[in-house]
Amino acid sequence: MAATGDEAAAMDSISREPAAHSTASSPPTSSSVQAERSDEVAENLVTAPKKPGDGGVETAEEAVEPAEPDINELGTDMFEKMAIFLQGELTGTCEDYRLLENMNKLTSLKYMEMKDISINISRNLQDLNNKYASLQPYLDQINKIEEQVSALEQAAYKLDAYSKKLEARFKKLEKR
C-alpha cells in the first residue's frame, strides 16, 4: 500500500532528519546552521500550483520544526531567568527578615510598655502597703474601741434589765 498525502510528507521528513542531525553534531557556526535550515525549509515546503479549474483546493504542506536557537543563546537565556528567579527568592527572604525584624521591634516595645506598667503597679502596691502600715495603729485603736463599745452595750443591756426589775419591785412595794 502506497503512502499518500500527509503520510508521505511525514515519511519524507523522517528520512531527511538524520542527515540534518548529523550535520548539526559537527560544530558549525550558527549562521551556517541557520542557512542550512532555511535551505531545508525551502526544500520541505512543497506547494502544488493552483489550476484555474481546481475550485480552490489546496494541498497540504509539510510541517517543519523551527530552527533550534544557538546553545549559547539558550544558556544565556537560562542564566538570565535563573538570576531573576534567585533575585526574587532572595528578595522574598529579605522581606521576610525585614518583617521579622519589625515584629521583634514591636514586641520589644510592647514588653517595655508592660515592664513600665508592672513597675508602676509594684510602686503603687508598695505605697498602699506603706499606707496600710501607717494606718495599722489607728485600726488597732478602732478595734479596741469597738470591743469597749460592745462591752459597754452589754453593760447597758444588763443595767436596763436590772432597772426594769427594780421598777417592777418598786411598783409592787408601792401597792402594798
Side-chain angles (χ1 to χ4, degrees):
M1 176 153 109
T4 58
D6 292 335
E7 294 173 347
M11 287 179 169
D12 190 37
S13 67
I14 290 172
S15 65
R16 288 187 185 165
E17 287 220 10
H21 287 304
S22 65
T23 59
S25 63
S26 65
T29 62
S30 63
S31 60
S32 66
V33 170
Q34 289 177 351
E36 286 178 9
R37 296 281 178 174
S38 63
D39 291 341
E40 287 178 10
V41 169
E43 288 176 6
N44 289 338
L45 291 178
V46 178
T47 57
K50 289 186 181 179
K51 297 179 185 174
D54 267 350
V57 174
E58 294 183 26
T59 59
E61 296 179 5
E62 180 180 339
V64 179
E65 292 183 18
E68 292 183 15
D70 188 31
I71 192 81
N72 290 333
E73 292 173 15
L74 289 174
T76 303
D77 186 46
M78 179 196 66
F79 281 115
E80 288 172 359
K81 289 180 180 177
M82 186 61 94
I84 291 169
F85 170 74
L86 291 175
Q87 187 68 32
E89 287 290 316
L90 292 175
T91 302
T93 304
C94 286
E95 291 298 319
D96 288 345
Y97 280 122
R98 230 177 256 124
L99 176 65
L100 188 60
E101 181 182 9
N102 289 339
M103 288 172 58
N104 284 338
K105 286 179 181 177
L106 287 174
T107 304
S108 175
L109 289 174
K110 287 289 183 184
Y111 277 120
M112 290 177 80
E113 288 176 11
M114 290 170 56
K115 176 187 168 193
D116 292 342
I117 290 170
S118 65
I119 287 172
N120 286 337
I121 289 172
S122 174
R123 188 178 305 129
N124 289 338
L125 184 61
Q126 192 170 5
D127 288 345
L128 284 174
N129 285 337
N130 290 339
K131 287 178 183 177
Y132 182 76
S134 68
L135 289 177
Q136 190 62 42
Y138 299 112
L139 295 173
D140 290 341
Q141 286 179 357
I142 290 172
N143 287 338
K144 285 180 184 176
I145 291 172
E146 184 181 0
E147 289 173 6
Q148 290 173 356
V149 167
S150 294
L152 190 59
E153 186 179 10
Q154 291 297 326
Y157 284 135
K158 287 179 183 177
L159 185 62
D160 187 42
Y162 181 72
S163 65
K164 284 182 184 177
K165 283 183 188 178
L166 217 96
E167 183 183 352
R169 266 193 201 169
F170 178 71
K171 285 186 181 183
K172 209 184 218 186
L173 285 173
E174 205 177 67
K175 286 184 182 178
R176 286 193 195 170

